[in-house]
Amino acid sequence: MNDNSHFRQLLAAAAAQSEPQRLLFVFAVAELPDSATPEQRARFRSGRGGALAPLMCVDKAPRDLPDFPSLVSEAGRAGPPWSVVFTASLSGQAGRPPDKARIDLALETMAAAVRDGRIDGFAAYGPEGEFLEIG
């Protein structure tokens, strides 16, 4: 079991910002495209490769998320099994958190980036809270 220290640091950093933050989460699963080659299929069966498919998105205020197990529990009630969650933070302005339209646009943009494999700007965690270095 992972100690989730990286995730706790993320929560602490978001809470310490001068402007209110929303944490953005895109839950995804690796899947194999229908057009995969035999080599790609073999890699996927061995636990490597595949394409990322976003399953669900959510935003949270740092104060509303005590720890990673709470996020996992909520995700389990809300949707299908996932293999990785990508995380980013969205800052508010003038002491106010970001509005719903800005949050929704940021989540849509983030989900598209995950789908396209442009994930280098996000923190990524596995289902046990382990920090993933993908790339």
Side-chain angles (χ1 to χ4, degrees):
M1 190 69 156
N2 194 283
D3 72 1
N4 302 289
S5 62
H6 191 278
F7 191 78
R8 283 195 306 275
Q9 290 172 3
L10 174 81
L11 291 176
Q17 297 301 307
S18 60
E19 293 290 351
Q21 303 290 305
R22 292 301 287 192
L23 293 174
L24 309 177
F25 299 96
V26 174
F27 293 84
V29 66
E31 62 183 17
L32 192 61
D34 292 336
S35 62
T37 66
E39 293 82 14
Q40 290 170 326
R41 290 180 190 284
R43 280 185 49 130
F44 186 77
R45 281 192 299 272
S46 72
R48 300 184 326 264
L52 292 169
L55 299 171
M56 60 185 166
C57 304
V58 68
D59 69 287
K60 294 282 184 189
R63 70 179 176 281
D64 295 337
L65 190 59
D67 53 29
F68 194 80
S70 298
L71 179 67
V72 169
S73 177
E74 185 175 326
R77 290 189 304 273
W82 52 276
S83 54
V84 60
V85 60
F86 294 95
T87 306
S89 183
L90 183 63
S91 184
Q93 297 174 338
R96 299 176 52 115
D99 64 26
K100 181 170 174 22
R102 216 169 132 227
I103 291 168
D104 289 346
L105 178 61
L107 285 169
E108 287 174 25
T109 301
M110 194 173 164
V114 168
R115 191 173 24 259
D116 294 342
R118 296 179 285 113
I119 56 174
D120 51 324
F122 308 130
Y125 300 93
E128 298 294 319
E130 67 276 21
F131 178 68
L132 304 174
E133 293 187 47
I134 301 175

